[in-house]
Amino acid sequence: MRLRELVIDAWSWINYKPAMADPQRPGHRAFPEINHSWVPEPDRRRLAVYKLLAAYDNNQAGQLAAATGDDHGLERRELGDPAKLIDTTLGYLLGAEQTIVVPGAEHAEQHHGSAVADRAGRDDGGAPPPGAVQAADVQERLRTWADKELWPLRIQQAERCAVRCGDAVYTLAWEPAKQRVLLRTYDPGFYFPEWDDGEQDSSEYPSRVHFAWELPADTVRGLKARVRRITYELGPIGAATAPGITEDGRAIREQVAGADGDPALTVGDTLHPVTGMVQRTYPWAPGRPSGTTCYLTDAEWLLEDLGGAHDLYSLPAGKASYRVRSDGQVLDRLDLMCDFIPVVHVPNTIPDGGEHWGKSSLGTVLQLLDELAATDTDSASASATTGTPIVALSGARLPIDRTTGQPLPVRVEAGTVWQLSDSGRMDALDTSAQLAELRQRIDHMLTRLASNTRLTTAGLGSLDPASVPSGYALQLALGPLDSLIAAMRLARGHKYVLMLRMVQRLHQAGQVWPAGESLPARLVWGAHTPTDRTTVLADVVAGYGAGVFSLETAVRMLQEAGYPVEDVAEEVERIQKRAFDQAARLADATGDNAAVRAYLGLPEADPLPTVPLIPGQVTPDQAGADPQAALQATGRQATRARTDVPGREGPRTAGDV
């Protein structure tokens, strides 16, 4: 690459590749489809990088090198090192499990706690904290939805693509037939965000997002090559529309006219009296009307109808063929009844200022992987000459082919015997020393690879456990891995918060979840390194016993350490049902039997009848009905009690009375 063509951008680490030598036409020899007219020119370099990284992941880097002019590319040995790096990084990123958590849900009491508190006449002693019941309800709904949508599988699909390519994309769509939100993942090569003119920070959420790819020709079905584009776009709320058909039979959407002939509004929409703009109050924002909605368009274009003047962002609307959804809705600017684009882009790393795209985990070590593959190739050649050495014969009597009379080819095989003359000799080429050196070089490069990727030799599994003097030394050795995973999870944290907020709102728009403000929900990753569970258990016992930790926090620590705790609230409830010592201390502190029964998860006890031990004694029920009469009766009871003492005939003094 000449100096005047030097390009420094988010993919500069790939500039050394011959396939990327031309910044204007990257990969034009290996990936000619990238340079089709409909592909936007600024995105071609990114798409070429995605394809190149996929070739490394599938052990096809040698084929890629051969396609770009390397005559020895097909001889390249690829032993799966890139795929191992991707899978290892993915495993540490995801941890043992992924859990949806709504803050405050763990503080919700048992289902009967509030009822017991109300019957006991207490206002707040047994009631859960404000919002805890709602948080628990939302958490349960989100987890149920995640189970139906195969949440762990979708995360595996998207995050592996993010680790390999640097980017991953989720889409959310309301499915009327299933009455829930569908979660799907897309290859980032299909993702084309579009920002408005003058947008200064491309890390901001785009106002328009496209998904586009080519559909090959199908001669059996009589289909020509096509381009499919799915577009999500934010725009002002318009009049109501309905499916229609043009004169040439194409499905489109048409405005619905009212009784007076004017465009009708969707049910629930209103006109602003001053601006005349259509407004809508969404269920997640009560009292805050919005004038924005999201439109969905899904259409196809024939490649033969597209020329050099048309790219992805300017496809001719008159040539479009719109798709129809399962419920009969034509996907031509269909109003999705939400004021956000249900698309979430997940970068693998924290993007630089003003950038939108992440960096692949293979990016900075790609040349090292090439060196490793080259050394593996040399090692394979050296091992061939070591296992089957080159032999030089002198003064040997070679076997003759009886048919042709020519000497037969000489091969070194087990049991082969040659007759040598008195001055004959046999020499073998020994390449074992070179093979040993190549193996040492491979070990050196693997150590360098572990260091540069920050996965460490311990993380890659090449560290001998016997060489680690203590657990603290192992923890120090895993320090770079901890910082790597922390940075990767930081880049994803707010993305999953945004996704779970969208899931709540789309279910509210579908009128299957109650309306109200969306609660913050987050994805909790599992531990990425082995945890000393014995130490964690000792800390929990000591901290909870000393009153430093709450029971909810203690159970959460055990869950994160890998103990089989499925739900924190349920585990707390089980523990409290058997905590008789704590219940006894609660009874001593409050004297409230109802509070103790609520703490143990027991139903409210029936009131016990009070029987007077002395004739004429006032019961608590009578005392509550007439306090003055109870006071006089109590005095008479005390007098009678003193006169009834054996050996006492009656009161002796006024004080006794």
Side-chain angles (χ1 to χ4, degrees):
M1 180 178 295
R2 294 187 299 273
L3 183 61
R4 64 184 180 87
E5 296 175 342
L6 179 63
V7 177
I8 300 178
D9 57 7
W11 301 279
S12 298
W13 42 268
I14 204 68
N15 287 347
Y16 78 98
K17 281 290 183 182
M20 306 298 294
D22 187 356
Q24 303 301 324
R25 300 186 63 193
H28 65 281
R29 296 179 61 181
F31 318 119
E33 68 277 5
I34 292 177
N35 295 283
H36 286 180
S37 61
W38 68 270
V39 180
E41 183 175 341
D43 293 288
R44 293 176 183 177
R45 180 172 168 84
R46 174 174 63 92
L47 301 185
V49 170
Y50 290 160
K51 282 185 168 289
L52 189 144
L53 291 171
Y56 273 82
D57 184 22
N58 293 286
N59 285 351
Q60 293 179 293
Q63 300 178 25
L64 177 63
T68 55
D70 187 353
D71 297 335
H72 302 284
L74 297 180
E75 301 175 3
R76 175 171 175 163
R77 295 292 188 270
E78 299 178 71
L79 306 181
D81 294 297
K84 178 186 177 182
L85 279 180
I86 293 172
D87 293 334
T88 303
T89 306
L90 177 66
Y92 286 123
L93 169 66
L94 298 181
E97 60 181 357
Q98 305 84 46
T99 307
I100 298 175
V101 173
V102 178
E106 65 272 15
H107 298 297
E109 286 190 348
Q110 302 91 325
H111 64 280
H112 59 273
S114 297
V116 171
D118 293 339
R119 288 194 297 267
R122 292 178 283 109
D123 295 331
D124 57 358
V133 175
Q134 182 184 4
D137 178 65
V138 172
Q139 178 175 278
E140 180 62 27
R141 290 177 182 271
L142 287 174
R143 290 181 177 180
T144 302
W145 166 81
D147 290 339
K148 293 180 179 179
E149 283 303 303
L150 305 177
W151 171 269
L153 175 63
R154 301 299 181 189
I155 291 181
Q156 287 269 357
Q157 289 177 338
E159 290 297 350
R160 194 181 191 281
C161 190
V163 172
R164 181 188 66 200
C165 298
D167 304 285
V169 183
Y170 292 98
T171 62
L172 299 168
W174 175 253
E175 177 55 48
K178 296 183 178 181
Q179 288 292 292
R180 73 169 186 266
V181 174
L182 299 184
L183 175 65
R184 295 294 181 264
T185 62
Y186 276 90
D187 189 290
F190 299 160
Y191 171 64
F192 299 89
E194 185 178 357
W195 289 270
D196 294 334
D197 294 337
E199 180 64 52
Q200 298 297 322
D201 190 358
S202 59
S203 63
E204 293 292 334
Y205 211 85
S207 59
R208 190 180 298 105
V209 170
H210 305 281
F211 292 92
W213 61 92
E214 283 191 20
L215 299 174
D218 189 344
T219 56
V220 176
R221 300 169 56 190
L223 298 177
K224 299 181 179 180
R226 313 174 302 285
V227 173
R228 182 180 177 184
R229 188 187 73 179
I230 302 174
T231 300
Y232 295 88
E233 181 180 5
L234 293 178
I237 301 174
T241 59
I245 300 178
T246 61
E247 295 180 356
D248 56 356
R250 293 187 302 115
I252 60 171
R253 297 193 69 82
E254 299 176 334
Q255 285 190 350
V256 177
D260 53 357
D262 295 333
L265 298 180
T266 305
V267 177
D269 293 351
T270 59
L271 284 175
H272 193 277
V274 177
T275 63
M277 301 283 293
V278 181
Q279 290 188 332
R280 178 182 301 159
T281 300
Y282 292 102
W284 51 85
R288 299 195 302 272
S290 173
T292 304
T293 189
C294 181
Y295 295 100
L296 171 63
T297 302
D298 189 351
E300 294 179 0
W301 286 262
L302 296 178
L303 277 180
E304 63 185 24
D305 293 337
L306 304 179
H310 300 124
D311 65 1
L312 173 66
Y313 303 121
S314 60
L315 297 179
K319 300 291 186 178
S321 175
Y322 298 101
R323 292 205 168 201
V324 180
R325 202 168 64 177
S326 60
D327 58 350
Q329 293 289 349
V330 179
L331 301 181
D332 175 17
R333 285 184 62 84
L334 174 67
D335 191 345
L336 296 181
M337 306 298 290
C338 60
D339 58 352
F340 56 88
I341 296 179
V343 175
V344 179
H345 165 251
V346 179
N348 184 50
T349 57
I350 301 175
D352 294 335
E355 286 289 344
H356 182 74
W357 310 103
K359 180 185 291 186
S360 168
S361 295
L362 302 181
T364 55
V365 295
L366 206 60
Q367 295 190 50
L368 186 54
L369 291 172
D370 287 340
E371 290 288 334
L372 188 59
T375 307
D376 285 333
T377 304
D378 295 340
S379 178
S381 301
S383 63
T385 58
T386 300
T388 307
I390 300 174
V391 178
L393 292 176
S394 175
R397 182 178 299 176
L398 301 179
I400 303 297
D401 189 342
R402 296 181 179 180
T403 303
T404 62
Q406 299 295 326
L408 293 174
V410 178
R411 298 181 60 86
V412 179
E413 297 178 353
T416 302
V417 178
W418 289 294
Q419 292 182 356
L420 302 179
S421 62
D422 295 340
S423 60
R425 57 179 297 176
M426 179 180 68
D427 297 317
L429 180 63
D430 184 9
T431 59
S432 58
Q434 290 84 349
L435 180 60
E437 180 65 25
L438 288 172
R439 288 179 175 175
Q440 291 180 6
R441 176 173 169 78
I442 291 175
D443 294 339
H444 167 71
M445 285 191 296
L446 288 175
T447 303
R448 186 78 172 268
L449 188 67
S451 175
N452 290 356
T453 57
R454 292 195 290 170
L455 291 176
T456 70
T457 55
L460 287 177
S462 57
L463 178 66
D464 183 9
S467 63
V468 181
S470 64
Y472 183 70
L474 178 60
Q475 186 176 359
L476 291 177
L478 292 173
L481 175 62
D482 295 339
S483 63
L484 170 67
I485 299 304
M488 296 178 68
R489 292 181 175 180
L490 177 61
R492 293 159 167 80
H494 69 287
K495 297 292 186 177
Y496 284 101
V497 172
L498 179 64
M499 180 195 300
L500 294 174
R501 183 183 299 120
M502 290 180 179
V503 172
Q504 296 180 57
R505 294 184 175 183
L506 289 176
H507 279 98
Q508 290 175 332
Q511 299 181 358
V512 297
W513 286 13
E517 295 283 349
S518 302
L519 295 183
R522 58 189 177 91
L523 179 65
V524 176
W525 310 89
H528 64 280
T529 54
T531 306
D532 190 350
R533 296 171 60 178
T534 304
T535 303
V536 174
L537 180 60
D539 293 342
V540 167
V541 172
Y544 178 65
V548 178
F549 298 154
S550 66
L551 183 57
E552 292 81 3
T553 301
V555 175
R556 176 74 65 190
M557 292 175 61
L558 295 178
Q559 184 186 50
E560 294 178 353
Y563 284 89
V565 178
E566 296 181 359
D567 186 86
V568 175
E570 293 181 359
E571 192 69 20
V572 169
E573 181 180 351
R574 296 190 190 102
I575 293 174
Q576 288 183 349
K577 285 182 177 180
R578 298 167 177 84
F580 300 112
D581 292 338
Q582 288 83 349
R585 290 198 295 269
L586 177 62
D588 294 339
T590 63
D592 190 344
N593 184 61
V596 175
R597 298 186 68 87
Y599 179 84
L600 294 174
L602 300 175
E604 184 182 6
D606 296 331
L608 297 175
T610 304
V611 180
L613 300 178
I614 302 174
Q617 184 176 4
V618 179
T619 65
D621 295 337
Q622 295 173 345
D626 189 352
Q628 185 64 27
L631 181 60
Q632 298 175 359
T634 302
R636 291 194 297 271
Q637 293 169 7
T639 303
R640 188 180 304 111
R642 295 183 67 87
T643 57
D644 291 342
V645 176
R648 298 287 297 273
E649 298 178 355
R652 298 181 178 179
T653 63
D656 292 337
V657 178

